[in-house]
Amino acid sequence: MKKGHFGATVAAPVFKRIAERSANYLAIPSQVVRNQTLAITNHSALD
Amino acid sequence: MVRPATGEIVAMANLPTFDPNNLGASTPDARRNRIISDIAEPGSTFKIVVVSAALNENISKLTDLIDCEHGNFQYAGYTLHDAHEDKYNILSVEEVVAKSSNVGAAKIGIKLGPEKLEEYVRRFGFGEPTGIILPAKFAALFVPCPLEQDSITRIPMGHEVAATPLQMCLAMSAIANRGVLMRPRLVDHLEDAEGKVIARYPPQVARRVVSETAAQQMVAALKTVVSTNGSGLNAQLDFYTAAGKTGTAQKSVGGKYVSGNSFRHSSGSFPLTIRSFAFQWHLMSRA
């Protein structure tokens, strides 16, 4: 299987596009500003 | 797209699709809801099952080191390869997830054992109907024990099992929901003509799949996938934290893999807060 067929190459960018547009549509405040993570301070990430 | 805490299906889309006002213009194939009725091997997205199972059983920690045999692992007369060009030597369990090492996942599966592996595959909801209130043809397949000798190295990487995209999304949701698998939920309530609520459909817990601690550790590992050190960097979001896994599997026809026909998956959750969403993207190629 060619490298260009992998999910990481083909499916992952689609996840990014749809997730970011969905977040916009759902008016979810951004968490990351200039590569600095806000509010998320631990690995639990589910608080 | 599912809200993990409640199992709500927020969005579901299929392509090709059809115009319900002009059914005759569409083919039966286009009218099928692939998300609930089509099965495929989930590929590496399935690694969340074996790794979270090992974490839950306390037989592995994220920091444990695994010899990934430079991507060539002999077991039960067969050779298992890592899919990527990088040939890994020693990786931590967290790195096995981040780099998506097949050999690493297989060795975690061997450590877990076939009975426990089967138990967790079923706990995550594979091999049973999801409970969605839509007609679906398949409950998805899972071959019960005793497994073939080399199955213990194949199932951890999402081969020799089959799942619908909804099942895979719900499994990822269970990780994002602190280890609790929810039933899919399509309807919140029904109202009569006067707007009076005549029926409510509250969220339903299917079962606890793994402990909250194991789920949190799995989230930590899945965050590294979507990082500069991980195989899913292309899924990294600009303004939100995310955790996820990508996967690839070849299409099987008549019990044999067909070269050039493949499924590509990505599964993940974002933003990483209690109001997160789980997401499954499934692409089939006939290339």
Side-chain angles (χ1 to χ4, degrees), chain A residues 1 7-8 20 28 31 45-46, chain B residues 176 178 238-241 248 272:
Chain A
M1 198 177 296
E20 289 186 333
I28 301 170
Q31 295 176 304
L46 296 167
Chain B
R178 303 170 188 256
D238 290 336
F239 301 106
Y240 302 95
T241 52
T248 312
L272 295 179

Side-chain angles (χ1 to χ4, degrees), chain B residues 44-223:
Chain B
S44 292
T45 52
F46 204 73
K47 285 171 183 163
I48 64 170
V49 174
V50 68
V51 175
S52 57
L55 294 170
N56 196 54
E57 293 290 323
N58 291 317
I59 65 161
S60 291
K61 297 192 293 287
L62 290 181
T63 51
D64 286 354
L65 298 179
I66 297 175
D67 182 357
C68 293
E69 315 270 355
H70 297 282
N72 288 286
F73 177 42
Q74 300 282 337
Y75 189 84
Y78 294 92
T79 305
L80 178 68
H81 300 283
D82 272 337
H84 299 275
E85 289 173 357
D86 297 324
K87 302 302 178 193
Y88 304 116
N89 187 16
I90 305 294
L91 293 179
S92 68
V93 170
E94 183 173 274
E95 287 171 325
V96 165
V97 178
K99 310 287 187 189
S100 199
S101 167
N102 294 336
V103 175
K107 288 197 169 184
I108 295 169
I110 291 166
K111 204 172 170 185
L112 190 65
E115 288 80 16
K116 280 289 175 191
L117 179 60
E118 179 181 353
E119 177 188 328
Y120 279 89
V121 169
R122 294 193 187 282
R123 273 203 213 183
F124 270 98
F126 300 102
E128 69 176 17
T130 60
I132 193 167
I133 51 170
L134 290 173
K137 190 175 175 184
F138 295 106
L141 310 172
F142 179 64
V143 181
C145 284
L147 302 170
E148 295 289 328
Q149 270 195 315
D150 64 328
S151 297
I152 194 70
T153 64
R154 301 309 198 262
I155 291 172
M157 56 185 267
H159 287 205
E160 297 191 17
V161 287
T164 63
L166 178 61
Q167 284 181 312
M168 202 57 229
C169 192
L170 291 171
M172 182 59 84
S173 295
I175 298 294
N177 190 35
R178 303 170 188 256
V180 176
L181 181 72
M182 302 298 292
R183 294 286 180 209
R185 186 164 173 253
L186 280 172
V187 179
D188 180 72
H189 65 273
L190 298 178
E191 296 178 0
D192 64 14
E194 280 75 44
K196 184 183 168 192
V197 176
I198 54 172
R200 287 195 184 278
Y201 301 93
Q204 287 187 314
V205 173
R207 70 187 71 89
R208 175 167 285 285
V209 179
V210 294
S211 69
E212 189 168 341
T213 303
Q216 287 173 344
Q217 290 171 344
M218 196 65 227
V219 169
L222 291 171
K223 282 172 77 174

Side-chain angles (χ1 to χ4, degrees), chain A residues 1 3 5-16 18-20 22-23 26 28-32 37 40 42-47, chain B residues 1 83 176 178 216 219-220 223 231 234-241 246-248 250 264-266 270-274 277 279 281 283:
Chain A
M1 198 177 296
K3 188 178 181 183
H5 286 185
F6 286 119
T9 312
V10 179
V14 183
F15 169 84
K16 174 183 168 71
I18 298 179
E20 289 186 333
S22 302
L26 294 163
I28 301 170
S30 65
Q31 295 176 304
V32 180
T37 303
I40 304 297
N42 58 41
H43 271 327
S44 77
L46 296 167
D47 48 358
Chain B
M1 189 171 170
R178 303 170 188 256
Q216 287 173 344
V219 169
K223 282 172 77 174
S231 60
N234 289 333
Q236 192 176 50
L237 307 181
D238 290 336
F239 301 106
Y240 302 95
T241 52
T246 62
T248 312
Q250 283 178 278
R264 280 87 72 156
H265 315 275
S266 62
F270 79 98
L272 295 179
T273 69
I274 199 162
F277 296 91
F279 190 100
W281 164 251
L283 176 67

Side-chain angles (χ1 to χ4, degrees), chain B residues 239-277:
Chain B
F239 301 106
Y240 302 95
T241 52
K245 189 76 197 72
T246 62
T248 312
Q250 283 178 278
K251 192 176 178 183
S252 169
V253 177
K256 292 187 176 178
Y257 291 119
V258 179
S259 181
N261 282 13
S262 60
F263 298 99
R264 280 87 72 156
H265 315 275
S266 62
S267 183
S269 63
F270 79 98
L272 295 179
T273 69
I274 199 162
R275 293 186 63 239
S276 72
F277 296 91

